[in-house]
Amino acid sequence: MASSDVHVRICEQEIIKYDLEIKALVQDVNECIGPHVKLTELNAKVKAKFNNLRLRIQDLDQMGREQDKESDKLALLSEVDRHRKQMVSNQTAWRKANLASKLSLDNLEKESLLYGGDNEFRHRKVTKEGLAQSSSDITESLMSISRMMSQQVTQSEETMTTLATSSQAVLETNDEFKAMTGTIQLGRKLITKYNRRELTDKLLIFLALALFLATVFYILKKRFFFFL
């Protein structure tokens, strides 16, 4: 059960990581001002992250259905439902970001054709401002991811410590059982030896009594013939 808990915790950590990475990439898509190749690359990354997230949610769902306790099963399946709703929300945000970015790129291209060099100046200005904002958002997202992963690592370390302690307790209990087994076997040997000795003593007493009776009978028989 403890090993299963560790796998569940690792799976949830990866789901949280993919969720945060998707949010950061969707923000980049929303702020993308060209070229179209850049937008295509961002969308490819988002799609890959969504595929990874979907697989991990499926893994968590399978782990939830394999839980022995009904309470643990319901709790995990509730988490799975929450993660799926969050994924749908991210997909909606991704579509909206794509529409906004494509509309912005189309407008910039139209202005470039209409106004030429003057628009190019404004385009460079917007690009610098967008890059600065994107850099700030990405930094904030990375810091958030770092804090989240740090917390999860700490929890994983505590779990591993608990597992190590439990393993040590099991080993000690096993040693105690081995010692008890040895004691029981020794006691069994002593009892068997005692029973054999008791049987031998009874046999000796019987033989002695038989010899005594035979001697008495012999003496009585001898005296009887003597008197005759």
Side-chain angles (χ1 to χ4, degrees):
M1 178 60 69
S3 177
S4 176
D5 291 341
V6 172
H7 289 304
V8 168
R9 191 178 297 278
I10 292 174
C11 185
E12 289 181 330
Q13 290 174 6
E14 292 183 353
I15 289 174
I16 292 172
K17 183 189 72 171
Y18 289 133
D19 178 71
L20 293 173
E21 290 175 347
I22 288 171
K23 283 181 170 61
L25 286 170
V26 168
Q27 185 68 22
D28 291 342
V29 170
N30 187 57
E31 296 173 352
C32 181
I33 53 177
H36 283 285
V37 175
K38 177 64 176 178
L39 182 60
T40 302
E41 291 176 354
L42 287 172
N43 283 324
K45 290 180 181 179
V46 175
K47 185 177 181 180
K49 296 296 181 182
F50 269 119
N51 288 336
N52 292 333
L53 176 61
R54 189 177 295 104
L55 290 175
R56 297 311 285 154
I57 291 177
Q58 290 176 356
D59 291 340
L60 187 63
D61 179 77
Q62 183 65 29
M63 292 178 192
R65 297 180 187 279
E66 293 175 352
Q67 292 297 310
D68 296 329
K69 291 184 179 179
E70 187 66 20
S71 58
D72 294 340
K73 179 179 179 179
L74 293 175
L76 271 183
L77 292 180
S78 176
E79 283 296 305
V80 169
D81 185 61
R82 184 177 66 84
H83 288 310
R84 281 176 174 160
K85 289 180 180 178
Q86 184 61 47
M87 184 175 66
V88 171
S89 176
N90 287 336
Q91 288 173 333
T92 302
W94 180 32
R95 286 193 293 269
K96 291 181 179 179
N98 258 306
L99 290 174
S101 183
K102 289 178 180 178
L103 181 60
S104 176
L105 287 174
D106 290 341
N107 290 335
L108 286 174
E109 288 179 354
K110 290 178 182 178
E111 290 180 4
S112 178
L113 291 174
L114 291 173
Y115 301 106
D118 185 52
N119 183 69
E120 183 178 353
F121 172 75
R122 288 200 303 271
H123 178 73
R124 285 199 301 268
K125 182 178 180 182
V126 172
T127 301
K128 290 180 180 179
E129 292 175 353
L131 288 174
Q133 183 63 37
S134 297
S135 178
S136 176
D137 292 339
I138 291 172
T139 300
E140 184 177 351
S141 296
L142 289 175
M143 290 178 65
S144 177
I145 293 172
S146 177
R147 288 192 297 269
M148 183 69 68
M149 295 303 294
S150 177
Q151 293 175 358
Q152 296 297 331
V153 169
T154 301
Q155 292 177 355
S156 297
E157 289 177 350
E158 293 175 355
T159 301
M160 295 305 296
T161 301
T162 302
L163 283 174
T165 304
S166 300
S167 299
Q168 183 63 32
V170 170
L171 290 175
E172 293 177 356
T173 303
N174 187 39
D175 291 340
E176 292 177 359
F177 277 132
K178 287 182 179 179
M180 291 175 62
T181 302
T183 303
I184 292 171
Q185 290 177 348
L186 178 60
R188 184 182 300 169
K189 290 180 180 179
L190 291 174
I191 291 172
T192 302
K193 183 177 181 181
Y194 175 77
N195 289 336
R196 290 177 179 174
R197 183 172 182 180
E198 185 178 9
L199 179 63
T200 302
D201 291 343
K202 287 181 180 180
L203 182 61
L204 291 175
I205 292 172
F206 175 77
L207 291 174
L209 181 61
L211 180 62
F212 174 74
L213 291 175
T215 303
V216 171
F217 178 77
Y218 174 76
I219 294 173
L220 291 176
K221 183 178 180 182
K222 188 176 181 180
R223 289 185 179 182
F224 176 78
F225 281 111
F226 177 76
F227 284 117
L228 291 177

